[in-house]
Amino acid sequence: MTPDLQALATLDRTIHEPARLMIMTVLYAVNEADFLYLQRECGLTQGNLSSHLGKLEAAGYVLIEKMFKGKYPLTVCSLTQKGRAAFAEYLQKIRVVSESPSNGRRTLVKPGPDKAERPGLLRNGN
Amino acid sequence: MANSPSSVLDAEQRAWRYWFADGLTNLTVGVTGLLFAFCMLYTPRWPPSPLAMTAWAVALGLYMAMSLRQQKIVEWLKARTTYPRTGYVQPPTTEADSGSADLVTLSLHAANTASSEEDQRLLSGRKRRTILLLALVLLGMFAMIAIQSRWTPSAACVIVGIGMCISRKDYRWSWIIPLGFPIVGACITLFSAPLQKAPAYFCAGWGVLFFVDGATTLIRYLLQNPAPKVPAA
Protein backbone atom coordinates (compact mmCIF):
# COMPACT_ATOMS: atom_id res chain seq x y z
CA MET A 1 0.00 0.00 0.00
CA THR A 2 1.30 3.45 -0.92
CA PRO A 3 1.26 6.28 1.63
CA ASP A 4 -1.43 7.96 -0.50
CA LEU A 5 -3.69 4.97 -0.16
CA GLN A 6 -2.93 4.66 3.51
CA ALA A 7 -4.30 8.18 3.91
CA LEU A 8 -7.71 6.71 3.11
CA ALA A 9 -7.58 4.74 6.34
CA THR A 10 -7.25 7.98 8.31
CA LEU A 11 -10.38 9.55 6.80
CA ASP A 12 -12.80 10.88 9.38
CA ARG A 13 -15.50 8.22 9.53
CA THR A 14 -18.01 10.64 11.03
CA ILE A 15 -17.85 12.71 7.85
CA HIS A 16 -17.23 9.84 5.42
CA GLU A 17 -20.74 8.39 5.75
CA PRO A 18 -22.61 9.50 2.55
CA ALA A 19 -25.56 11.24 4.21
CA ARG A 20 -23.34 13.09 6.68
CA LEU A 21 -20.96 13.97 3.85
CA MET A 22 -23.89 15.60 1.99
CA ILE A 23 -24.89 17.56 5.09
CA MET A 24 -21.31 18.71 5.72
CA THR A 25 -20.86 19.70 2.06
CA VAL A 26 -24.00 21.83 2.07
CA LEU A 27 -23.16 23.50 5.39
CA TYR A 28 -19.55 24.09 4.32
CA ALA A 29 -20.81 25.88 1.20
CA VAL A 30 -23.62 27.97 2.68
CA ASN A 31 -22.45 28.56 6.29
CA GLU A 32 -25.91 28.05 7.75
CA ALA A 33 -29.15 26.45 6.67
CA ASP A 34 -32.28 25.27 8.37
CA PHE A 35 -33.56 21.73 8.78
CA LEU A 36 -36.07 22.02 5.92
CA TYR A 37 -33.48 23.28 3.43
CA LEU A 38 -31.04 20.50 4.37
CA GLN A 39 -33.80 17.94 4.05
CA ARG A 40 -34.67 19.11 0.54
CA GLU A 41 -31.06 19.43 -0.59
CA CYS A 42 -29.92 16.06 0.73
CA GLY A 43 -33.12 14.14 -0.02
CA LEU A 44 -33.22 12.65 3.46
CA THR A 45 -36.23 11.86 5.61
CA GLN A 46 -36.85 13.89 8.75
CA GLY A 47 -35.82 11.07 11.04
CA ASN A 48 -32.71 10.22 9.07
CA LEU A 49 -31.57 13.83 8.86
CA SER A 50 -32.25 14.33 12.54
CA SER A 51 -30.22 11.24 13.39
CA HIS A 52 -27.24 12.28 11.26
CA LEU A 53 -27.33 15.84 12.56
CA GLY A 54 -27.35 14.44 16.08
CA LYS A 55 -24.18 12.45 15.34
CA LEU A 56 -22.48 15.47 13.79
CA GLU A 57 -23.50 17.62 16.74
CA ALA A 58 -22.19 15.00 19.17
CA ALA A 59 -18.87 15.05 17.32
CA GLY A 60 -18.79 18.83 17.74
CA TYR A 61 -18.94 19.46 14.00
CA VAL A 62 -22.38 21.04 13.77
CA LEU A 63 -24.12 23.66 15.88
CA ILE A 64 -27.91 23.42 15.98
CA GLU A 65 -29.82 26.48 17.12
CA LYS A 66 -33.51 27.24 17.42
CA MET A 67 -34.26 30.74 16.25
CA PHE A 68 -37.01 32.90 14.85
CA LYS A 69 -37.10 34.64 11.48
CA GLY A 70 -40.02 36.98 11.91
CA LYS A 71 -42.48 34.87 13.87
CA TYR A 72 -41.52 31.58 12.24
CA PRO A 73 -39.40 29.16 14.24
CA LEU A 74 -36.37 27.74 12.42
CA THR A 75 -33.91 25.02 13.35
CA VAL A 76 -30.72 26.49 11.95
CA CYS A 77 -27.63 24.32 11.51
CA SER A 78 -24.12 25.59 10.95
CA LEU A 79 -20.60 24.18 11.02
CA THR A 80 -18.45 24.85 14.04
CA GLN A 81 -14.80 25.85 13.64
CA LYS A 82 -13.90 22.25 14.47
CA GLY A 83 -16.34 20.94 11.85
CA ARG A 84 -15.07 23.32 9.20
CA ALA A 85 -11.47 22.33 9.89
CA ALA A 86 -12.35 18.62 9.89
CA PHE A 87 -14.17 18.90 6.58
CA ALA A 88 -11.33 20.89 5.01
CA GLU A 89 -8.90 18.20 6.16
CA TYR A 90 -11.18 15.48 4.79
CA LEU A 91 -11.34 17.24 1.41
CA GLN A 92 -7.58 17.64 1.39
CA LYS A 93 -7.02 13.93 2.03
CA ILE A 94 -9.47 12.92 -0.69
CA ARG A 95 -7.84 15.38 -3.10
CA VAL A 96 -4.35 14.05 -2.36
CA VAL A 97 -5.45 10.48 -2.98
CA SER A 98 -7.45 11.21 -6.13
CA GLU A 99 -4.73 13.42 -7.65
CA SER A 100 -1.82 11.17 -6.66
CA PRO A 101 0.57 10.32 -9.57
CA SER A 102 0.54 6.68 -8.43
CA ASN A 103 -3.08 6.52 -9.55
CA GLY A 104 -2.03 7.36 -13.09
CA ARG A 105 -4.76 8.71 -15.31
CA ARG A 106 -7.44 6.50 -13.84
CA THR A 107 -9.94 7.99 -11.45
CA LEU A 108 -9.92 6.57 -7.97
CA VAL A 109 -13.62 5.91 -7.86
CA LYS A 110 -15.13 4.97 -11.17
CA PRO A 111 -18.73 6.23 -11.47
CA GLY A 112 -21.10 3.37 -12.03
CA PRO A 113 -24.37 1.82 -10.88
CA ASP A 114 -23.24 1.64 -7.29
CA LYS A 115 -26.02 0.67 -4.94
CA ALA A 116 -24.80 3.11 -2.30
CA GLU A 117 -25.43 5.99 -4.71
CA ARG A 118 -29.12 5.21 -5.01
CA PRO A 119 -31.11 7.80 -3.10
CA GLY A 120 -33.50 5.16 -1.81
CA LEU A 121 -30.72 3.39 0.03
CA LEU A 122 -29.45 6.67 1.38
CA ARG A 123 -32.82 7.39 2.86
CA ASN A 124 -33.01 4.00 4.53
CA GLY A 125 -29.39 3.62 5.53
CA ASN A 126 -28.03 5.20 8.62
CA MET B 1 -13.68 15.24 -12.75
CA ALA B 2 -11.24 18.10 -13.30
CA ASN B 3 -13.62 19.93 -15.63
CA SER B 4 -16.69 19.77 -13.40
CA PRO B 5 -17.34 22.00 -10.41
CA SER B 6 -16.80 20.49 -6.98
CA SER B 7 -19.69 19.38 -4.79
CA VAL B 8 -18.99 22.33 -2.49
CA LEU B 9 -19.31 24.79 -5.36
CA ASP B 10 -22.39 22.97 -6.61
CA ALA B 11 -24.00 23.38 -3.17
CA GLU B 12 -22.98 27.05 -3.16
CA GLN B 13 -24.46 27.58 -6.61
CA ARG B 14 -27.69 25.85 -5.61
CA ALA B 15 -27.92 28.17 -2.58
CA TRP B 16 -27.25 31.14 -4.86
CA ARG B 17 -30.01 30.09 -7.25
CA TYR B 18 -32.31 29.46 -4.28
CA TRP B 19 -31.95 33.12 -3.29
CA PHE B 20 -33.53 34.13 -6.64
CA ALA B 21 -35.94 31.20 -6.98
CA ASP B 22 -38.93 32.94 -5.38
CA GLY B 23 -38.70 36.15 -7.42
CA LEU B 24 -38.78 38.42 -4.35
CA THR B 25 -35.41 39.98 -5.18
CA ASN B 26 -36.57 40.97 -8.66
CA LEU B 27 -39.89 42.15 -7.27
CA THR B 28 -38.18 44.56 -4.88
CA VAL B 29 -35.75 45.71 -7.59
CA GLY B 30 -38.79 46.40 -9.79
CA VAL B 31 -40.59 48.40 -7.10
CA THR B 32 -37.39 50.37 -6.42
CA GLY B 33 -37.06 51.17 -10.13
CA LEU B 34 -40.68 52.30 -10.34
CA LEU B 35 -40.31 54.55 -7.28
CA PHE B 36 -37.16 56.10 -8.74
CA ALA B 37 -38.91 56.68 -12.06
CA PHE B 38 -41.85 58.26 -10.24
CA CYS B 39 -39.52 60.64 -8.39
CA MET B 40 -37.84 61.62 -11.67
CA LEU B 41 -41.05 62.04 -13.67
CA TYR B 42 -43.27 63.81 -11.15
CA THR B 43 -41.02 66.42 -9.60
CA PRO B 44 -43.45 68.97 -8.12
CA ARG B 45 -43.55 72.35 -9.89
CA TRP B 46 -43.34 75.62 -8.01
CA PRO B 47 -45.52 76.47 -6.12
CA PRO B 48 -46.03 72.83 -5.10
CA SER B 49 -49.45 71.59 -4.05
CA PRO B 50 -49.39 69.84 -0.64
CA LEU B 51 -50.72 66.59 -2.14
CA ALA B 52 -48.11 66.43 -4.94
CA MET B 53 -45.33 67.36 -2.52
CA THR B 54 -46.42 64.68 -0.04
CA ALA B 55 -46.69 62.01 -2.76
CA TRP B 56 -43.26 62.91 -4.09
CA ALA B 57 -41.67 62.94 -0.62
CA VAL B 58 -43.24 59.57 0.27
CA ALA B 59 -42.02 58.05 -3.01
CA LEU B 60 -38.53 59.44 -2.45
CA GLY B 61 -38.45 58.17 1.14
CA LEU B 62 -39.62 54.72 0.08
CA TYR B 63 -37.06 54.66 -2.72
CA MET B 64 -34.24 55.57 -0.34
CA ALA B 65 -35.40 53.00 2.21
CA MET B 66 -35.70 50.26 -0.39
CA SER B 67 -32.33 51.06 -1.94
CA LEU B 68 -30.46 51.12 1.36
CA ARG B 69 -32.21 48.24 3.10
CA GLN B 70 -33.00 46.01 0.14
CA GLN B 71 -31.59 42.81 1.62
CA LYS B 72 -33.38 43.33 4.92
CA ILE B 73 -36.67 43.89 3.07
CA VAL B 74 -36.14 40.81 0.90
CA GLU B 75 -35.31 38.74 4.00
CA TRP B 76 -38.39 40.06 5.79
CA LEU B 77 -40.53 38.97 2.83
CA LYS B 78 -38.74 35.63 2.57
CA ALA B 79 -39.33 34.93 6.26
CA ARG B 80 -43.07 35.06 5.53
CA THR B 81 -43.17 33.26 2.19
CA THR B 82 -40.05 31.24 1.36
CA TYR B 83 -38.59 29.97 4.62
CA PRO B 84 -41.76 28.24 5.89
CA ARG B 85 -42.21 26.57 2.48
CA THR B 86 -38.78 25.48 1.31
CA GLY B 87 -36.41 26.36 4.12
CA TYR B 88 -33.86 28.94 5.11
CA VAL B 89 -30.32 29.25 3.87
CA GLN B 90 -27.91 32.04 4.67
CA PRO B 91 -28.24 34.88 2.15
CA PRO B 92 -25.24 35.22 -0.18
CA THR B 93 -24.24 38.68 1.14
CA THR B 94 -24.47 38.10 4.87
CA GLU B 95 -20.70 37.84 5.41
CA ALA B 96 -20.13 40.94 3.31
CA ASP B 97 -22.48 42.64 5.81
CA SER B 98 -23.96 44.91 3.22
CA GLY B 99 -27.36 46.47 3.57
CA SER B 100 -28.17 46.15 -0.11
CA ALA B 101 -28.21 42.93 -2.09
CA ASP B 102 -26.60 44.48 -5.14
CA LEU B 103 -25.18 42.32 -7.89
CA VAL B 104 -21.52 43.28 -7.43
CA THR B 105 -21.52 42.47 -3.71
CA LEU B 106 -23.19 39.14 -4.38
CA SER B 107 -20.69 38.19 -7.07
CA LEU B 108 -17.55 39.39 -5.33
CA HIS B 109 -18.51 37.63 -2.11
CA ALA B 110 -19.17 34.37 -3.97
CA ALA B 111 -15.78 34.53 -5.69
CA ASN B 112 -14.07 34.39 -2.29
CA THR B 113 -15.69 31.08 -1.35
CA ALA B 114 -14.22 29.02 -4.16
CA SER B 115 -11.70 26.36 -3.24
CA SER B 116 -10.39 24.61 -6.35
CA GLU B 117 -9.09 26.13 -9.59
CA GLU B 118 -12.20 25.04 -11.47
CA ASP B 119 -14.41 26.61 -8.80
CA GLN B 120 -12.41 29.83 -9.04
CA ARG B 121 -12.75 29.82 -12.82
CA LEU B 122 -16.53 29.37 -12.70
CA LEU B 123 -17.03 32.03 -10.04
CA SER B 124 -14.71 34.54 -11.67
CA GLY B 125 -16.75 34.01 -14.86
CA ARG B 126 -19.86 35.05 -12.94
CA LYS B 127 -17.99 38.05 -11.56
CA ARG B 128 -16.83 39.09 -15.04
CA ARG B 129 -20.38 38.81 -16.43
CA THR B 130 -21.71 40.95 -13.56
CA ILE B 131 -19.10 43.65 -14.14
CA LEU B 132 -19.85 43.56 -17.87
CA LEU B 133 -23.57 43.92 -17.14
CA LEU B 134 -22.98 46.93 -14.90
CA ALA B 135 -20.68 48.48 -17.49
CA LEU B 136 -23.34 48.04 -20.21
CA VAL B 137 -26.08 49.50 -17.99
CA LEU B 138 -23.91 52.52 -17.17
CA LEU B 139 -22.98 52.88 -20.85
CA GLY B 140 -26.66 52.84 -21.81
CA MET B 141 -27.58 55.41 -19.16
CA PHE B 142 -24.65 57.64 -20.10
CA ALA B 143 -25.54 57.42 -23.80
CA MET B 144 -29.14 58.45 -23.06
CA ILE B 145 -27.98 61.50 -21.12
CA ALA B 146 -25.09 62.52 -23.38
CA ILE B 147 -26.36 61.83 -26.89
CA GLN B 148 -29.52 63.76 -27.65
CA SER B 149 -30.94 61.71 -30.49
CA ARG B 150 -34.34 60.15 -31.03
CA TRP B 151 -32.77 56.71 -31.52
CA THR B 152 -30.44 56.81 -28.51
CA PRO B 153 -32.95 55.26 -26.04
CA SER B 154 -33.54 52.35 -28.43
CA ALA B 155 -29.83 51.72 -28.87
CA ALA B 156 -29.20 52.09 -25.12
CA CYS B 157 -31.98 49.66 -24.27
CA VAL B 158 -30.62 47.11 -26.78
CA ILE B 159 -27.20 47.41 -25.10
CA VAL B 160 -28.75 46.89 -21.66
CA GLY B 161 -30.81 43.98 -23.03
CA ILE B 162 -27.60 42.32 -24.28
CA GLY B 163 -26.08 42.76 -20.81
CA MET B 164 -29.16 41.22 -19.20
CA CYS B 165 -29.04 38.35 -21.69
CA ILE B 166 -25.40 37.61 -20.80
CA SER B 167 -26.16 37.53 -17.06
CA ARG B 168 -29.57 35.90 -17.37
CA LYS B 169 -28.62 32.49 -16.01
CA ASP B 170 -26.53 33.89 -13.16
CA TYR B 171 -29.47 35.81 -11.71
CA ARG B 172 -32.26 33.48 -12.80
CA TRP B 173 -34.03 36.12 -14.90
CA SER B 174 -36.68 34.94 -17.28
CA TRP B 175 -36.58 36.07 -20.91
CA ILE B 176 -39.01 38.88 -19.98
CA ILE B 177 -36.10 41.08 -18.87
CA PRO B 178 -33.57 40.74 -21.74
CA LEU B 179 -36.30 40.79 -24.39
CA GLY B 180 -38.27 43.52 -22.67
CA PHE B 181 -35.54 46.16 -22.72
CA PRO B 182 -35.44 46.57 -26.54
CA ILE B 183 -39.25 46.90 -26.43
CA VAL B 184 -38.96 49.62 -23.76
CA GLY B 185 -36.42 51.45 -25.94
CA ALA B 186 -38.61 51.12 -29.02
CA CYS B 187 -41.62 52.50 -27.08
CA ILE B 188 -39.60 55.53 -25.89
CA THR B 189 -38.57 56.22 -29.49
CA LEU B 190 -41.91 55.48 -31.19
CA PHE B 191 -44.00 57.52 -28.74
CA SER B 192 -41.55 60.43 -29.10
CA ALA B 193 -40.91 60.83 -25.39
CA PRO B 194 -39.02 64.05 -24.50
CA LEU B 195 -35.32 63.23 -24.63
CA GLN B 196 -34.60 64.77 -21.22
CA LYS B 197 -37.14 62.39 -19.71
CA ALA B 198 -35.80 59.29 -21.52
CA PRO B 199 -33.72 58.13 -18.48
CA ALA B 200 -36.84 58.33 -16.32
CA TYR B 201 -38.86 56.28 -18.80
CA PHE B 202 -35.96 53.85 -18.97
CA CYS B 203 -36.09 53.47 -15.16
CA ALA B 204 -39.85 53.00 -15.36
CA GLY B 205 -39.38 50.29 -17.99
CA TRP B 206 -36.68 48.71 -15.83
CA GLY B 207 -39.07 48.70 -12.88
CA VAL B 208 -41.96 47.23 -14.85
CA LEU B 209 -39.82 44.44 -16.36
CA PHE B 210 -38.29 43.41 -13.03
CA PHE B 211 -41.66 43.66 -11.29
CA VAL B 212 -43.37 41.47 -13.90
CA ASP B 213 -40.51 38.97 -13.85
CA GLY B 214 -40.50 38.85 -10.04
CA ALA B 215 -44.29 38.55 -9.84
CA THR B 216 -44.50 35.69 -12.36
CA THR B 217 -41.62 33.87 -10.63
CA LEU B 218 -43.27 34.36 -7.24
CA ILE B 219 -46.64 33.09 -8.47
CA ARG B 220 -45.00 30.03 -10.02
CA TYR B 221 -43.03 29.42 -6.81
CA LEU B 222 -46.13 29.71 -4.61
CA LEU B 223 -48.08 27.33 -6.84
CA GLN B 224 -45.26 24.78 -6.78
CA ASN B 225 -44.73 25.11 -3.03
CA PRO B 226 -48.01 25.46 -1.18
CA ALA B 227 -47.98 26.69 2.40
CA PRO B 228 -47.24 23.97 4.97
CA LYS B 229 -50.21 22.79 6.97
CA VAL B 230 -50.09 23.95 10.57
CA PRO B 231 -51.08 21.09 12.90
CA ALA B 232 -54.19 21.83 14.97
CA ALA B 233 -53.41 22.67 18.58
Side-chain angles (χ1 to χ4, degrees), chain A residues 1-11 97:
Chain A
M1 251 193 348
T2 64
D4 291 335
L5 274 177
Q6 283 171 7
L8 282 174
T10 62
L11 284 175
V97 173

Side-chain angles (χ1 to χ4, degrees), chain B residues 1-231:
Chain B
M1 289 289 283
N3 292 327
S4 60
S6 68
S7 301
V8 175
L9 180 67
D10 185 52
E12 188 273 334
Q13 285 182 323
R14 286 175 65 81
W16 168 280
R17 289 196 291 268
Y18 181 68
W19 180 255
F20 298 100
D22 53 14
L24 288 170
T25 310
N26 287 353
L27 205 63
T28 51
V29 169
V31 172
T32 310
L34 286 170
L35 287 168
F36 186 58
F38 179 84
C39 292
M40 285 167 78
L41 285 170
Y42 296 101
T43 310
R45 289 175 190 163
W46 194 260
S49 73
L51 187 66
M53 197 64 200
T54 309
W56 187 79
V58 167
L60 185 66
L62 280 173
Y63 164 71
M64 296 290 282
M66 289 195 75
S67 299
L68 295 173
R69 309 300 295 169
Q70 194 186 345
Q71 183 169 338
K72 293 283 176 201
I73 292 167
V74 172
E75 276 201 75
W76 186 84
L77 292 169
K78 277 179 182 283
R80 279 144 187 85
T81 52
T82 314
Y83 300 158
R85 286 176 168 81
T86 50
Y88 159 80
V89 65
Q90 191 185 61
T93 55
T94 300
E95 281 198 351
D97 199 23
S98 157
S100 63
D102 61 279
L103 303 181
V104 177
T105 315
L106 285 167
S107 268
L108 296 182
H109 168 66
N112 294 331
T113 62
S115 51
S116 71
E117 276 181 31
E118 185 59 22
D119 294 359
Q120 284 284 3
R121 195 184 65 77
L122 285 169
L123 289 176
S124 64
R126 184 159 80 192
K127 188 173 136 186
R128 274 199 304 275
R129 286 191 294 275
T130 303
I131 291 169
L132 179 64
L133 167 68
L134 287 173
L136 289 174
V137 170
L138 288 175
L139 178 69
M141 292 291 283
F142 178 76
M144 257 188 286
I145 295 164
I147 306 168
Q148 298 289 311
S149 161
R150 191 184 165 204
W151 296 99
T152 309
S154 293
C157 286
V158 168
I159 290 170
V160 174
I162 290 168
M164 296 289 176
C165 194
I166 291 166
S167 300
R168 195 180 77 83
K169 284 189 179 171
D170 292 332
Y171 299 102
R172 309 268 297 166
W173 294 324
S174 68
W175 282 104
I176 292 170
I177 292 176
L179 294 180
F181 271 102
I183 296 170
V184 169
C187 288
I188 295 171
T189 301
L190 290 176
F191 292 109
S192 301
L195 289 175
Q196 66 270 23
K197 286 198 171 179
Y201 287 119
F202 171 80
C203 287
W206 172 293
V208 168
L209 291 175
F210 272 86
F211 185 86
V212 170
D213 180 65
T216 50
T217 309
L218 180 62
I219 290 167
R220 197 165 54 236
Y221 170 83
L222 292 177
L223 289 173
Q224 284 172 356
N225 303 286
K229 286 172 187 168
V230 180

Side-chain angles (χ1 to χ4, degrees), chain A residues 15 19-34 37-38 41-42 53 56 61-63 77-93 95, chain B residues 6-16 89-92 95 109-110 112-116 119-120 123:
Chain A
I15 300 175
R20 290 198 283 274
L21 185 55
M22 282 194 288
I23 295 166
M24 293 289 285
T25 304
V26 173
L27 291 178
Y28 188 77
V30 303
N31 289 332
E32 64 176 32
D34 81 334
Y37 182 82
L38 283 175
E41 281 296 295
C42 302
L53 279 174
L56 289 170
Y61 291 169
V62 167
L63 182 69
C77 311
S78 58
L79 287 188
T80 58
Q81 287 292 329
K82 185 183 171 188
R84 191 160 281 277
F87 188 71
E89 191 187 340
Y90 175 87
L91 286 181
Q92 185 60 30
K93 280 181 184 171
R95 197 171 291 142
Chain B
S6 68
S7 301
V8 175
L9 180 67
D10 185 52
E12 188 273 334
Q13 285 182 323
R14 286 175 65 81
W16 168 280
V89 65
Q90 191 185 61
E95 281 198 351
H109 168 66
N112 294 331
T113 62
S115 51
S116 71
D119 294 359
Q120 284 284 3
L123 289 176

